[in-house]
Amino acid sequence: MQLLHPFETSFGVTQERRIVLVTVTDGIHTGYGEVTAGEGPFYSHETSETAWHVLRDFIIPNALGKEIEHAADYGRFVQGIRGHNMAKAGLETALWDLEAKILGQPLWKLLKGTRQQIDCGVSIGIQASIDKLLAKIDTEVKAGYRRIKIKIKPGWDVEVIRQVREAFPKILLMGDANSAYTLADIDLFKKMDRYNVMMFEQPLHHEDMIDHAELQKHIETPICLDESIHSADDARKAIQIGACRIINIKLGRVGGHREVRAVHDVCRDNGIPVWCGGMLESGIGRAHNVALSSLENFSLPGDVSASKRYWTEDIVDPPVEVTAGGQISQRNNPGIAYNVKEDLVRRLTVRSQVFTS
Ligand code: OSB
Ligand code: MG
């Protein structure tokens, strides 16, 4: 799928998505999951290709022919497989969708969500100029989005934040560095500390917590961890050492809906708000993100935004839509609650494999 606009972060530019979808069926209903890995190992070590390999050669053979009562019991299918959370989540989320459809319930209710409307923000990539960025922000603010996240990297940071804040004094504004800095940059963060930024997302190394705790001591702006958090245990440790005051939860990065709930609960019990991160998903991943954002502690606007920001035609019907007030309403059809356009998916498919027990 071709993105409408190239998306640039501190680790590179994405224009074309190659997305692995997983479907499961009981013969009557079909559950859909999306692997959120990128095309290259830049945000994480996983790629669409490694996910295909791990699903085909390990996860699916482990699962075939076995029974589980609930999608929440999926853990035994992936026991012993280290890492590869996005591959694991591809099948896990498809099973949750299937279970919800068998029960005739919307997924957000099966996940025990309470938020009928979720608050939406946008993530805006690095632009060719500050003027272009200001114009993009203006468009998104007028579209109703409740929080603006801009990507930052060395050379595209303090001055950018300063000018954005000057042009938009009141917006909820945050910066996502995708691990582009080190502790040698403390002074730079102190400068950005002056502009009432809601949070700095993953400023330091993608595997770090210790240095983040040190940086947090020197700045007032809350640090939000993204790349460093893969489990509820990671969240517990990060909170314990003061490495962050906010956590971005991504469904793929933590390995599925069950772990989302576990990270959510650890954060809630420690007074740490969470929000749902995005991975330039197609409508299937997007629908899962909408559903999980209904959990009570998703109290900050997430990177879950309208299909039309990414795609000329999304693979779900209706597309994911955001109200003029910057919210998405939960739908009450069974499962992910959006219909998958099977014909379009077939036309976009470059490879497929069927597994039968
Ligand atoms: O760090 O949140 C991130 C996209 C790809 C990889 C990592 C990230 C992102 C985004 C985009 O920020 C979020 C979205 O709009 O899907
Ligand atoms: Mg991020």
Side-chain angles (χ1 to χ4, degrees):
M1 291 175 81
Q2 200 71 26
L3 281 171
L4 268 176
H5 308 284
F7 188 77
E8 182 170 349
T9 68
S10 64
F11 58 76
V13 184
T14 305
Q15 173 70 262
E16 192 175 74
R17 297 289 343 271
R18 241 177 115 78
I19 299 172
V20 178
L21 299 177
V22 180
T23 71
V24 289
T25 179
D26 64 347
I28 301 166
H29 310 89
T30 305
Y32 297 90
E34 174 168 339
V35 173
T36 62
E39 291 63 42
F42 310 121
Y43 165 80
S44 119
H45 62 271
E46 291 190 83
T47 70
S48 315
E49 214 51 58
T50 68
W52 185 278
H53 158 58
V54 172
L55 276 160
R56 180 194 59 202
D57 297 332
F58 300 99
I59 298 174
I60 294 171
N62 257 0
L64 273 186
K66 294 202 186 118
E67 299 214 356
I68 47 168
E69 195 75 22
H70 297 290
D73 304 330
Y74 176 73
R76 65 189 198 86
F77 291 169
V78 293
Q79 217 172 10
I81 300 173
R82 292 188 180 168
H84 299 283
N85 283 355
M86 294 172 183
K88 290 172 180 169
L91 179 55
E92 198 247 23
T93 56
L95 288 168
W96 276 96
D97 182 29
L98 181 62
E99 179 171 353
K101 283 170 176 161
I102 291 170
L103 296 170
Q105 270 184 41
L107 177 60
W108 70 278
K109 286 200 174 148
L110 184 62
L111 295 171
K112 301 200 169 68
T114 53
R115 295 176 181 272
Q116 181 86 54
Q117 332 283 343
I118 64 162
D119 290 349
C120 306
V122 289
S123 174
I124 303 179
I126 291 160
Q127 303 294 313
S129 69
I130 297 184
D131 282 347
K132 287 216 170 89
L133 175 63
L134 296 177
K136 283 238 169 195
I137 294 174
D138 192 55
T139 304
E140 304 296 12
V141 169
K142 285 185 177 140
Y145 286 102
R146 297 185 170 204
R147 181 226 65 193
I148 302 292
K149 156 167 145 183
I150 64 171
K151 293 289 188 176
I152 56 172
K153 68 173 184 182
W156 182 264
D157 43 37
V158 186
E159 181 56 17
V160 177
I161 296 265
R162 189 189 71 74
Q163 289 197 35
V164 171
R165 186 44 95 204
E166 193 174 83
F168 301 93
K170 294 211 186 98
I171 57 168
L172 292 181
L173 173 67
M174 58 174 288
D176 184 0
N178 289 110
S179 302
Y181 297 91
T182 70
L183 275 185
D185 299 307
I186 287 187
D187 285 344
L188 191 137
F189 282 95
K190 283 187 173 162
K191 285 188 189 136
M192 292 194 283
D193 224 4
R194 297 179 197 144
Y195 300 108
N196 188 25
V197 178
M198 200 183 179
M199 69 193 92
F200 297 127
E201 181 178 348
Q202 197 73 32
L204 310 179
H205 194 275
H206 66 279
E207 290 171 305
D208 172 74
M209 291 188 195
I210 309 279
D211 284 356
H212 280 98
E214 181 62 24
L215 175 61
Q216 185 69 88
K217 286 187 208 149
H218 296 271
I219 57 175
E220 309 258 313
T221 306
I223 289 176
C224 168
L225 289 179
D226 172 353
E227 283 89 329
S228 296
I229 305 296
H230 300 98
S231 63
D233 232 30
D234 284 347
R236 173 182 61 77
K237 291 171 190 172
I239 295 166
Q240 189 175 320
I241 67 168
C244 62
R245 295 188 194 142
I246 298 171
I247 287 179
N248 158 342
I249 300 184
K250 286 186 182 161
L251 181 54
R253 201 192 64 226
V254 304
H257 284 298
R258 187 185 168 143
E259 199 65 21
V260 166
R261 161 60 73 179
V263 176
H264 165 280
D265 289 357
V266 167
C267 291
R268 180 200 54 204
D269 296 347
N270 286 280
I272 299 287
V274 303
W275 52 276
C276 180
M279 291 291 286
L280 310 174
E281 288 92 344
S282 81
I284 292 175
R286 208 163 286 282
H288 278 281
N289 286 342
V290 171
L292 71 88
S293 299
S294 65
L295 302 187
E296 56 174 321
N297 193 37
F298 280 82
S299 55
L300 301 174
D303 280 346
V304 186
S305 55
S307 296
K308 69 172 184 203
R309 293 190 63 248
Y310 305 82
W311 318 110
T312 35
E313 187 183 4
D314 202 345
I315 60 172
V316 296
D317 180 43
V320 176
E321 283 169 332
V322 171
T323 66
Q327 293 185 311
I328 297 173
S329 300
Q330 300 292 347
R331 291 164 54 82
N332 287 316
N333 309 37
I336 56 173
Y338 289 81
N339 297 313
V340 174
K341 295 180 175 175
E342 293 283 2
D343 285 347
L344 178 57
V345 172
R346 222 168 286 127
R347 266 184 279 138
L348 292 166
T349 299
V350 291
R351 192 196 310 170
S352 66
Q353 193 165 342
V354 178
F355 301 84
T356 318
S357 61

